[in-house]
Amino acid sequence: QVQLVESGGGLVQAGGSLRLSCAASGRTFSTYHMGWFRQAPGKEREFVAAINWSGGSNYYADSVTGRFTISRDNAKNTVFLQMNSLKPEDTAVYYCAATVHWGAIATRLRNNYAGWGQGTQVTVSS
């Protein structure tokens, strides 16, 4: 079982960038696909991006395609989310989680994930 800790959030102006990190404990990190989700106040937690175990394949939500990039470093047990051209509507708590499911639909389903971290707040001012 993997345990996850997110970091890197903060306050940024619209158009700015942030890089989130998700550090995993446990020796099985490289066997999991990883995902980022976010939850804005009063809204459900939504899919942002996912990356497969090797880092060779990924999926993105339409709302972040072209602006966000997910990557991973299995040697450091860490997954990243580079966020560029941030918008006020990107404001949310961002979470990472692990999954054994892969595919365009499976990776978007919150219930397919486990090991949720505590989240990191991202606030984008206009």
Side-chain angles (χ1 to χ4, degrees), residues 12-32:
V12 63
Q13 289 187 333
S17 298
L18 282 174
R19 188 192 196 203
L20 306 184
S21 298
C22 172
S25 62
R27 291 180 289 181
T28 59
F29 172 76
S30 62
T31 66
Y32 288 100

Side-chain angles (χ1 to χ4, degrees), residues 2-8 20-25 29 34 36 77-80 94-97 115-120:
V2 63
Q3 295 182 323
L4 305 167
V5 177
E6 302 94 338
S7 62
L20 306 184
S21 298
C22 172
S25 62
F29 172 76
M34 298 297 296
W36 284 96
N77 279 13
T78 304
V79 61
F80 305 98
Y94 284 70
Y95 301 88
C96 65
W116 296 91
Q118 84 291 345
T120 186

Side-chain angles (χ1 to χ4, degrees), residues 34-39 44-51 58-65 68 70 81 94-95 97 99 101-110 113 116:
M34 298 297 296
W36 284 96
F37 284 72
R38 66 186 181 186
Q39 188 166 16
E44 292 191 353
R45 194 170 298 187
E46 64 175 4
F47 170 77
V48 175
I51 190 166
N58 50 55
Y59 294 106
Y60 295 95
D62 290 345
S63 59
V64 306
T65 296
F68 291 11
I70 189 171
L81 186 68
Y94 284 70
Y95 301 88
T99 184
H101 303 280
W102 190 249
I105 296 175
T107 54
R108 287 168 165 78
L109 300 178
R110 184 180 59 199
Y113 288 81
W116 296 91

Side-chain angles (χ1 to χ4, degrees), residues 86-104:
L86 283 161
K87 305 175 181 180
E89 51 263 44
D90 294 319
T91 295
V93 178
Y94 284 70
Y95 301 88
C96 65
T99 184
V100 297
H101 303 280
W102 190 249

